[in-house]
């Protein structure tokens, strides 16, 4: 049996209270989005799992996956040490880096560690080579567009803005205007999911401005709606005085079939011209690529494949 935890069993813990507060807000990002994807994917594959059950329901030999929650993982580590858990899987929403939370992810009781993307695996492996062999990139899936969504390509570009300076945004808008391209904007944290999907369905393409993404669910939501993306690649991530470089750090799963990168104000115009050329010749196929790699069912199957590597 697969058992999934997203919060601790201890009802008096701060993490438990935080979990239920987040459920009441109704926001669907982060661990909640990953869990929803898992549930959809498991239904499609005809499988079941227990979600946040009392610890008494765990049977010896069960696979316990702590999807999120530092305290939840601490509880399950103690159960593993007591011999009550067969396989213990952690991630991808636990700690930012393995040394956080007093090095919780470094506990040898953890059999497998899941991270959102290859660059995060490379980071973890570089910082702590001892966990490289049990750390796996695992992207969450995204739902198919609902039947109520009606694509009407009225706008050339949707600009997605997340934690970028005004200079870059101004340069992008200026070049789009120069090339007579219409555009709309969405600002991270200032829109509802329905509004974002509506804007995507009206856009021919998306320009994505974000310094870094562990996975980039908004990108996947664009690709499943057949919207190719031109993505700003800052090329590095900073955390607690540390700097990690990777050319795909802003869009870990972007490939030639679904879009391209630019590096800043200097090369945006040339990148836009090339992107437009490819767009007009039908070179992009983001929906087909997503159906092959990033659906809910594909995500769950990838998880089962990872679990199978430990339980063979």
């Amino acid at each position: 049996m697969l058992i999934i935890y997203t919060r601790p069993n201890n009802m008096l813990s701060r993490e438990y209270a935080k979990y239920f507060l987040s459920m009441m807000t109704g926001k669907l990002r982060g661990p909640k989005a990953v869990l929803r994807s898992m549930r959809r994917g498991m239904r499609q594959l005809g499988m079941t799992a227990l979600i946040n059950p009392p610890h008494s329901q765990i049977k010896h030999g069960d696979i316990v996956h702590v999807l999120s929650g530092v305290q939840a993982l601490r509880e399950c580590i103690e159960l593993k040490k007591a011999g009550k858990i067969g396989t213990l899987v952690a991630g991808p929403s636990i700690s930012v880096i393995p040394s956080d939370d007093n090095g919780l992810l470094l506990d040898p009781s953890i059999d497998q560690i899941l991270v959102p993307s290859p660059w995060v695996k490379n980071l973890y492996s570089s910082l702590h080579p001892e966990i490289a062999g049990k750390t796996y990139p695992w992207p969450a899936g995204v739902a198919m567009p609902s039947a109520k969504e009606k694509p009407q390509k009225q706008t050339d570009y949707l600009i997605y803005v997340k934690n970028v300076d005004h200079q870059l945004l101004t340069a992008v808008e200026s070049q789009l205007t120069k090339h007579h391209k219409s555009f709309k904007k969405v600002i991270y944290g200032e829109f509802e999911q329905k509004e974002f999907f509506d804007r995507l369905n009206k856009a021919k393409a998306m320009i994505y401005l974000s310094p870094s993404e562990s996975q980039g669910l908004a990108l996947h939501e664009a690709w499943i709606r057949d919207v190719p993306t031109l993505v700003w690649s800052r090329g590095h991530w900073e955390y607690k005085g540390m700097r990690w470089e990777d050319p795909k750090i802003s869009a870990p799963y972007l490939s030639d079939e679904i879009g391209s990168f630019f590096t800043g104000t200097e090369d945006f115009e040339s990148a836009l011209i090339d992107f437009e050329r490819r767009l007009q010749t039908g070179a992009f196929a983001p929906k087909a690529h997503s159906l092959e790699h990033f659906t809910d069912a594909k995500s769950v199957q990838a998880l089962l494949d990872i679990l199978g590597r430990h339980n063979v």
Side-chain angles (χ1 to χ4, degrees):
M1 172 63 71
L2 175 62
I3 298 175
I4 300 169
Y5 285 101
T6 59
R7 47 95 175 147
N9 265 203
N10 183 0
M11 298 176 62
L12 300 179
S13 70
R14 291 178 60 186
E15 193 170 282
Y16 188 97
K18 183 179 178 182
Y19 171 82
F20 276 96
L21 181 61
S22 70
M23 293 296 289
M24 291 173 63
T25 65
K27 293 184 178 180
L28 299 177
R29 282 307 192 230
K32 284 186 290 184
V34 178
L35 180 60
R36 285 168 64 91
S37 170
M38 292 179 72
R39 281 176 154 163
R40 291 190 302 259
M42 287 188 291
R43 284 197 298 269
Q44 292 165 20
L45 294 179
M47 61 175 290
T48 59
L50 296 179
I51 311 295
N52 294 317
H55 291 157
S56 59
Q57 292 189 26
I58 300 175
K59 298 178 181 178
H60 183 73
D62 283 343
I63 299 173
V64 174
H65 178 189
V66 183
L67 180 68
S68 60
V70 169
Q71 183 58 37
L73 181 56
R74 287 197 180 107
E75 291 178 355
C76 289
I77 286 174
E78 292 307 309
L79 292 171
K80 178 72 185 297
K81 290 178 178 178
K84 297 180 180 179
I85 290 176
T87 300
L88 179 57
V89 184
S93 304
I94 306 292
S95 306
V96 178
I97 57 176
S99 59
D100 284 346
D101 306 302
N102 296 316
L104 185 64
L105 284 176
L106 301 175
D107 193 294
S109 299
I110 300 171
D111 297 297
Q112 293 170 314
I113 300 170
L114 304 182
V115 294
S117 61
W119 80 258
V120 181
K121 173 185 166 53
N122 293 337
L123 169 67
Y124 278 31
S125 300
S126 175
L127 293 173
H128 300 280
E130 69 273 21
I131 64 171
K134 63 177 183 180
T135 302
Y136 301 91
W138 175 65
V142 287
M144 290 291 294
S146 73
K148 296 180 180 179
E149 296 184 42
K150 304 296 182 184
Q152 297 175 329
K153 303 304 182 181
Q154 304 167 350
T155 307
D156 290 316
Y157 288 93
L158 176 63
I159 307 175
Y160 188 101
V161 184
K162 180 179 179 182
N163 303 327
V164 297
D165 61 47
H166 184 70
Q167 181 182 5
L168 177 61
L169 177 58
T170 300
V172 167
E173 292 177 333
S174 176
Q175 287 296 334
L176 290 176
T177 300
K178 174 183 175 180
H179 289 271
H180 309 289
K181 299 299 177 183
S182 60
F183 61 88
K184 298 287 186 180
K185 288 185 295 188
V186 290
I187 311 296
Y188 178 78
E190 298 182 10
F191 61 86
E192 298 294 329
Q193 188 180 64
K194 184 178 181 300
E195 176 191 359
F196 179 49
F197 291 170
D198 181 62
R199 292 286 180 90
L200 282 174
N201 284 318
K202 292 178 180 178
K204 298 175 184 176
M206 181 168 73
I207 296 172
Y208 197 79
L209 307 179
S210 172
S212 65
E213 294 288 353
S214 56
Q215 177 179 342
L217 280 175
L219 287 163
H220 290 263
E221 289 165 342
W223 299 333
I224 199 68
R225 288 167 176 79
D226 216 24
V227 178
T229 54
L230 178 55
V231 178
W232 173 47
S233 173
R234 185 176 71 167
H236 70 272
W237 175 77
E238 297 175 346
Y239 181 72
K240 293 184 176 180
M242 177 183 64
R243 179 184 173 107
W244 183 258
E245 297 185 357
D246 190 290
K248 298 183 73 171
I249 216 157
S250 298
Y253 292 97
L254 188 139
S255 63
D256 287 341
E257 299 98 319
I258 49 185
S260 56
F261 287 108
F262 70 99
T263 60
T265 57
E266 298 81 4
D267 71 334
F268 176 70
E269 183 174 21
S270 61
L272 177 65
I273 292 171
D274 182 67
F275 185 85
E276 273 289 318
R277 176 187 60 79
R278 297 181 65 202
L279 191 64
Q280 293 169 12
T281 57
F284 299 121
K287 184 173 183 178
H289 185 81
S290 294
L291 291 175
E292 185 177 354
H293 297 283
F294 300 124
T295 63
D296 297 317
K298 293 287 187 180
S299 176
V300 172
Q301 185 58 59
L303 174 63
L304 296 177
D305 292 343
I306 292 170
L307 296 177
R309 295 176 193 179
H310 181 81
N311 294 280
V312 293

